Amino acid sequence: MKQINLDTSFLSLEPEELKQEERLLLDRALDACDMAYAPYSGFQVGVALLLDNGEIIQGANQENAAYPMCICAEPVALSRAKVQYPEAKIIWMAIRVKNEAKPALEPAAPCGACRQIISEYEGRQDAPIGLLLQGQEGPVYKFQEIAPLLPLSFSGKFL
Ligand code: THU
């Protein structure tokens, strides 16, 4: 028998411990929450991507009265980035949340489908995407890549 360890450890940082560019990207993600269309859940998700050409691309969730058609903020931002700058690599992805029902004082982790989508974009660019997660305020969870959030992931290599 062989035991395989999946490293799911990550850093929880206070905002003061972040680099200035990381704080700036998190600010842009919080701004993006205002672009959310979330009349049904009242849960606004904002994303800001830093590309290797220096551009910052934002995204926000877009809901639909037919609930399963809701589009998460992460694929909105990733699709925008890839269509607008097909050659650029995504270096960092900041995700912030605002909740009408109660203050979001801790990060909300991306949903399973979004983790799979982020993993695909890492594969496409053959480089990791760092993740910074934060609520409206409070601690920042930092990941160097999607793997700890999606261990043993499915990918094109199986096809
Ligand atoms: N949502 C996202 O935008 N990203 C996620 O990773 C989780 C959920 C959105 C979808 C929906 O508009 C609202 O948050 C509540 O689920």
Side-chain angles (χ1 to χ4, degrees):
M1 192 171 69
K2 189 164 81 168
Q3 182 168 331
I4 298 170
N5 293 320
L6 298 170
D7 181 9
T8 55
S9 62
F10 64 92
L11 293 175
S12 176
L13 302 165
E14 294 308 314
E16 306 78 51
E17 297 178 271
L18 297 170
K19 294 181 199 139
Q20 198 193 340
E21 64 170 25
E22 294 170 335
R23 270 206 294 264
L24 180 81
L25 198 65
L26 283 161
D27 287 347
R28 299 297 302 276
L30 190 63
D31 294 342
C33 288
D34 293 334
M35 299 172 218
Y37 174 66
Y40 305 107
S41 71
F43 193 79
Q44 300 174 314
V45 184
V47 166
L49 303 174
L50 176 64
L51 310 188
D52 66 355
N53 62 8
E55 294 289 338
I56 291 178
I57 300 290
Q58 292 166 296
N61 50 329
Q62 307 292 314
E63 296 190 346
N64 193 291
Y67 295 168
M69 306 309 294
C70 292
I71 305 172
C72 288
E74 293 87 340
V76 171
L78 290 164
S79 309
R80 284 190 72 194
K82 203 66 195 154
V83 168
Q84 206 170 336
Y85 299 104
E87 305 305 329
K89 289 190 178 183
I90 299 154
I91 307 174
W92 285 100
M93 174 179 228
I95 307 173
R96 301 286 297 265
V97 291
K98 276 177 161 178
N99 189 351
E100 274 174 20
K102 55 173 184 169
L105 302 178
E106 59 183 48
C111 75
C114 286
R115 296 177 198 206
Q116 183 68 30
I117 291 170
I118 295 165
S119 174
E120 183 78 21
Y121 276 78
E122 281 192 348
R124 284 174 73 171
Q125 63 178 26
D126 196 23
I129 298 174
L131 295 158
L132 296 165
L133 314 180
Q134 191 183 23
Q136 276 169 256
E137 51 185 282
V140 176
Y141 295 170
K142 183 172 175 176
F143 302 83
Q144 296 299 331
E145 56 184 346
I146 194 66
L149 283 168
L150 192 66
L152 204 63
S153 61
F154 183 76
S155 74
K157 78 174 186 214
F158 296 110
L159 301 175

